[in-house]
């Protein structure tokens, strides 16, 4: 995945993203927000906030910063602020090179982003850096199978990564080995449990 391919893909998808991916990914979004248990006064960073489908689900009193590499996606997210602009900030930014100080956030979440960014390792390093020690990291993503019908479909789709805007071949064990997360909890989410919600403590 190249960065230009990502921005091109999501510029193309921005106008139809909610219609096609909103319902499919909604259960994972809801489960992540419940698991996060955000409290008033906390500052949350959402990496790859996209069209902002998760924004209405954050509790009152929680400050949210959402970043995304796609301006067309963020333009749609801004329409969801609904009078909450005083506690929700949105910015165009590369998840692999965050423009925030160390230890800036209580929790950092990336939903459906890890297999999109060109360098997932850089994204995870940045998430750890800007999250306070003892804070929490959350990742929701699909992880490819190593056998069965889905594995065959993922291998067939792999050459189309730049067209579809994500990396179909993305094994969970490879990701965990790269990410070096601590105190990890993993649970399946969305239809057929094809996606996973990962929670880790930032040490």
């Amino acid at each position: 995945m190249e960065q230009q391919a990502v921005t091109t893909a999501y510029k193309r998808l921005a106008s139809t993203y909610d219609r096609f991916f909103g319902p499919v990914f909604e259960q994972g979004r809801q489960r992540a927000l419940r698991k996060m248990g955000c409290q008033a006064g906390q500052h949350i960073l959402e990496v790859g906030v996209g069209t902002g489908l998760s924004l209405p689900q954050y509790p009152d009193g929680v400050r949210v910063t959402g970043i995304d590499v796609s301006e067309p996606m963020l333009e749609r997210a801004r329409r969801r602020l609904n009078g909450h602009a005083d506690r929700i900030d949105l910015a165009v930014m590369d998840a692999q090179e965050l423009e925030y100080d160390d230890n800036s956030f209580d929790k950092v979440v990336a939903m459906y982003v890890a297999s999109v960014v060109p360098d997932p390792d850089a994204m995870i390093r940045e998430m750890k850096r800007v999250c306070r020690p003892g804070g929490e990291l959350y990742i929701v993503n699909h992880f490819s199978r190593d056998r069965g019908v889905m594995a065959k479909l993922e291998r067939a789709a792999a050459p189309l990564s730049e067209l579809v805007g994500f990396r179909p071949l993305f094994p969970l064990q490879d990701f965990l080995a790269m990410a070096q997360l601590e105190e990890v909890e993993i649970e399946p989410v969305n239809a057929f449990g094809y996606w996973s919600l990962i929670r880790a403590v930032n040490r």
Side-chain angles (χ1 to χ4, degrees):
M1 295 289 293
E2 297 292 335
Q3 189 78 314
Q4 184 59 48
V6 172
T7 55
T8 299
Y10 284 89
K11 180 179 181 180
R12 183 175 65 251
L13 288 169
S15 63
T16 57
Y17 185 90
D18 291 1
R19 187 181 315 133
F20 291 107
F21 297 104
V24 173
F25 293 162
E26 181 60 19
Q27 191 265 343
R29 276 188 293 270
Q30 291 180 359
R31 180 59 189 149
L33 267 292
R34 286 197 300 270
K35 189 85 170 177
M36 288 169 71
C38 301
Q39 301 295 316
Q42 291 185 328
H43 191 183
I44 313 301
L45 173 64
E46 183 168 334
V47 174
V49 70
T51 62
L53 286 166
S54 60
L55 295 178
Q57 301 180 38
Y58 286 97
D60 290 341
V62 175
R63 184 180 171 196
V64 180
T65 296
I67 67 108
D68 203 282
V69 74
S70 171
E71 173 60 38
M73 296 283 277
L74 277 182
E75 179 55 38
R76 293 180 175 269
R78 293 185 186 103
R79 302 174 193 173
R80 297 184 194 276
L81 296 185
N82 294 327
H84 298 297
D86 58 328
R87 65 178 184 87
I88 299 177
D89 300 309
L90 300 174
V92 177
M93 196 177 299
D94 184 352
Q96 304 159 120
E97 204 169 351
L98 297 173
E99 300 168 17
Y100 301 114
D101 293 337
D102 297 357
N103 312 325
S104 293
F105 301 94
D106 297 294
K107 303 174 193 284
V108 182
V109 58
M111 292 187 268
Y112 313 110
V113 182
S115 55
V116 172
V117 294
D119 188 350
D121 189 15
M123 183 192 80
I124 295 296
R125 286 198 308 269
E126 284 292 89
M127 289 175 66
K128 291 178 179 179
R129 180 182 67 79
V130 301
C131 184
R132 66 171 174 79
E136 295 172 331
L137 306 170
Y138 293 84
I139 297 145
V140 182
N141 216 82
H142 98 279
F143 293 97
S144 52
R145 304 298 196 259
D146 56 7
R147 62 179 65 88
V149 174
M150 288 306 301
K152 292 178 181 178
L153 291 173
E154 288 159 352
R155 285 194 293 271
L160 304 175
S161 292
E162 295 194 351
L163 178 64
V164 298
F166 72 96
R167 195 178 291 105
L169 293 180
F170 199 64
L172 175 60
Q173 293 308 314
D174 290 356
F175 175 77
L176 292 175
M178 173 273 295
Q180 298 182 32
L181 301 171
E182 298 188 34
E183 299 186 38
V184 174
E185 300 174 10
I186 305 174
E187 62 179 87
V189 293
N190 295 330
F192 310 110
Y194 181 63
W195 290 261
S196 295
L197 166 59
I198 299 173
R199 173 195 174 273
V201 177
N202 190 39
R203 298 299 183 193

